[in-house]
Amino acid sequence: MQHARLFLSPPHMSGREQLYIAEAFESNYIAPLGPMVEQFEQSIRDLTLIPNALALSSATAAIHLALRVLGVGAGDVVLASSFTFIGSIAPILYQNATPVFIDSDTQSWNIDPAILEKAIVSSPKKPKALILTHLYGQCADLNNIISICNTHGIALIEDAAESLGATYNGKQSGTFGDFGVYSFNGNKILTTSGGGMLVSPHKELIDKARFYSTQARDDAPYYEHTDYGYNYRMSNILAAIGVAQMEVLAERITERRQIFSWYREALKDISEITFMPELSETCGNRWLTTLIFEHSDPNNIRLALESENIESRPLWKPMHLQPLFKNAISFQNGTSEKLFEKGLCLPSGTQMSQEDVLRVCTTLKKALK
Ligand SMILES: *Cc1c(COP(=O)(O)O)cnc(C)c1O
C-alpha cells in the first residue's frame, strides 16, 4: 500500500481559524480591511516590537511597496541576494530598476558581506537599496551587512518571507532594516492561504506604503488622484486566518526545529551530507530542512523519494543563472551555484511525526547506496 504523500511544507491550521472567520462573517466585514486586519497587524507588532505594520496581499507586494516608497525608480541599482526566490526580485523589475546580484557565504548560505562590499565599491552608480533574504528561515550575517549598509548609506529591506520568528541576537528577523517583509503564502511556516506583511520603524514610510496599497486616493469625498497606487491590501477574511495562525507561531518553530533535529540525528553517520548551517548569534525557524551532498546527485535522491510518494525539491536556482537575468550584473564566488547543484529541501511540514522523518531518511539512505 502506498503511504500518504509527504509534502514539502503543507499548511497547518491551529483549529481556531474558522472561529475567527465566523466572527468576520458575523461582523459582515467581508470586504478588504476590517477589525481582523487590525488584529493581525497588532499580532505582528507584538512579535516584532516594530510599531508600524501593514497587512498586504503578498510579500511580493510588500517588497514592491518598500521600493516604491524608498523612491527606487528607472535606472536605479538595487542589490539583492542571488540565492533566493523570484518574489524577492521581481519588484525591482516592476520599478524598472536594475538588480545586481550578490552571492552567498558558506557560513549562512545568505549574502556574503565581503562580496556585498565589493559590489558596492565597484558599482558605477550608488545602489539605492539592498534586498536581503533570510533563506529557509535562517538569518544572514546581519551585523556585518548592516554596518556595510550604514557606511555606504544604502537602505536595507529584509526579505524575511521565510524567516518569520527567527531571531538574531534575540531580535526578530525583519526588524533590523528600513523595512521587513513577511509572507503568509500557502507553504510558509504560517499561512493565510496567501498574504504578506510590511513592517518598518519609520512611521511616515508605512503611511506612504498604506496610501499606495489602496489606489493612492487623496483626501477628498470623491476619488481624487495625484499619483497612482495598487490594490495590495489584505482581506479581512484572510486576516482572520492570520490571527489564528499567529497564536501558534512559537509552537510551529519548535516543531520545525524538532523535525530538523530528527533529520540531523538520523543522517549523522553520512559524512557526505552537510545541513544548512546556523550562525551562532541566531535561532532560525528551520522552515525547511535543507542539505547538500558532497558526491551524490541530489536529483537521483529526489526521484527515489518521489517513488515513495515523498516530495522534495532542489534548492533555489540562483538568480544569476536564470535566463531572465542572463545580462544582469552579479558578483559570484561559486557558493550558490554549488548549493543549487548539490542541495535538496526535505519535507518539513509541522504535522510530520518522527516516523515520517525516519521514512524519508530510510529512503534517502537506500538511494545513496
Ligand atoms: C515566498 C517568498 C517570497 C514571496 O512571498 P509571497 O507572499 O508569495 O509573495 C519572497 N521571497 C522569498 C524568499 C520567499 O520565499
Side-chain angles (χ1 to χ4, degrees):
M1 195 191 76
Q2 183 80 299
H3 282 280
R5 184 161 176 80
L6 279 176
F7 289 100
L8 204 63
S9 181
H12 184 179
M13 295 295 105
S14 74
R16 297 180 65 80
E17 287 79 6
Q18 284 178 313
L19 196 71
Y20 297 148
I21 291 172
E23 260 182 54
F25 269 73
E26 277 154 31
S27 72
N28 206 30
Y29 274 109
I30 306 299
L33 303 179
M36 287 297 170
V37 172
E38 274 146 48
Q39 270 192 56
F40 187 35
E41 288 173 350
Q42 185 58 46
S43 71
I44 288 288
R45 287 194 288 266
D46 292 344
L47 174 77
T48 59
L49 307 176
I50 295 277
N52 312 291
L54 184 65
L56 297 162
S57 54
S58 70
T60 308
I63 294 171
H64 186 201
L65 287 172
L67 292 175
R68 178 83 192 273
V69 163
L70 287 169
V72 170
D76 285 331
V77 172
V78 177
L79 306 166
S81 308
S82 186
F83 192 42
T84 191
F85 170 66
I86 189 68
S88 192
I89 305 303
I92 303 171
L93 305 183
Y94 302 167
Q95 287 305 100
N96 293 311
T98 305
V100 170
F101 297 114
I102 316 292
D103 215 325
S104 298
D105 63 28
T106 54
Q107 297 95 315
S108 72
W109 293 12
N110 287 305
I111 276 184
D112 180 337
I115 302 274
L116 174 65
E117 178 87 49
K118 194 169 132 194
I120 294 169
V121 298
S122 57
S123 178
K125 201 169 166 183
K126 187 186 144 183
K128 270 218 169 143
L130 166 67
I131 303 173
L132 170 66
T133 300
H134 302 297
L135 214 58
Y136 302 121
Q138 298 299 106
C139 295
D141 182 354
L142 275 161
N143 265 354
N144 285 315
I145 291 168
I146 288 166
S147 112
I148 292 168
C149 285
N150 288 344
T151 302
H152 297 278
I154 294 170
L156 174 61
I157 300 167
E158 285 179 81
D159 179 348
E162 301 176 359
S163 70
L164 180 70
T167 59
Y168 184 92
N169 284 330
K171 219 175 125 173
Q172 292 289 317
S173 69
T175 67
F176 291 82
D178 298 285
F179 285 103
V181 171
Y182 305 106
S183 173
F184 298 89
N185 193 21
N187 62 358
K188 298 301 195 306
I189 190 161
L190 300 185
T191 182
T192 57
S193 80
M197 190 76 74
L198 182 66
V199 300
S200 172
H202 313 298
K203 180 175 184 302
E204 70 288 359
L205 295 186
I206 287 288
D207 287 346
K208 223 168 160 184
R210 184 178 295 108
F211 172 74
Y212 286 129
S213 73
T214 48
Q215 305 285 21
R217 282 182 65 185
D218 292 342
D219 188 14
Y222 40 83
Y223 281 77
E224 174 88 358
H225 303 281
T226 48
D227 203 347
Y228 69 91
Y230 318 91
N231 181 3
Y232 275 172
R233 274 295 240 167
M234 175 178 270
S235 95
N236 199 52
I237 303 298
L238 299 192
I241 303 176
V243 170
Q245 287 275 285
M246 285 296 286
E247 291 175 354
V248 292
L249 175 61
E251 280 167 55
R252 295 292 177 266
I253 294 171
T254 304
E255 289 158 352
R256 296 262 177 180
R257 290 185 65 87
Q258 176 68 71
I259 288 163
F260 170 75
S261 302
W262 286 333
Y263 275 123
R264 192 175 48 187
E265 179 60 27
L267 299 173
K268 68 174 189 290
D269 295 332
I270 303 174
S271 60
E272 71 155 310
I273 285 181
T274 307
F275 289 95
M276 184 177 190
E278 186 166 43
L279 295 176
S280 60
E281 302 88 341
T282 70
C283 182
N285 69 18
R286 291 289 179 191
W287 170 52
L288 295 182
T289 288
T290 59
L291 45 73
I292 48 173
F293 301 91
E294 201 51 51
H295 312 295
S296 304
D297 181 354
N299 201 41
N300 293 337
I301 295 155
R302 185 178 61 76
L303 293 173
L305 291 171
E306 191 54 53
S307 72
E308 292 291 325
N309 210 14
I310 298 167
E311 185 184 24
S312 64
R313 199 188 284 163
L315 300 188
W316 296 123
K317 182 173 183 178
M319 290 300 136
H320 70 264
L321 295 180
Q322 300 290 350
L324 175 63
F325 295 120
K326 62 181 188 296
N327 298 320
I329 298 172
S330 62
F331 289 80
Q332 302 164 31
N333 57 14
T335 301
S336 63
E337 287 190 13
K338 180 180 169 189
L339 291 171
F340 173 60
E341 202 180 308
K342 295 292 187 183
L344 202 62
C345 306
L346 298 178
S348 307
T350 39
Q351 280 157 314
M352 282 178 82
S353 64
Q354 187 167 15
E355 255 167 62
D356 292 330
V357 169
L358 293 178
R359 181 159 84 83
V360 176
C361 294
T362 304
T363 309
L364 188 153
K365 285 179 183 168
K366 238 190 277 165
L368 286 177
K369 279 186 189 129

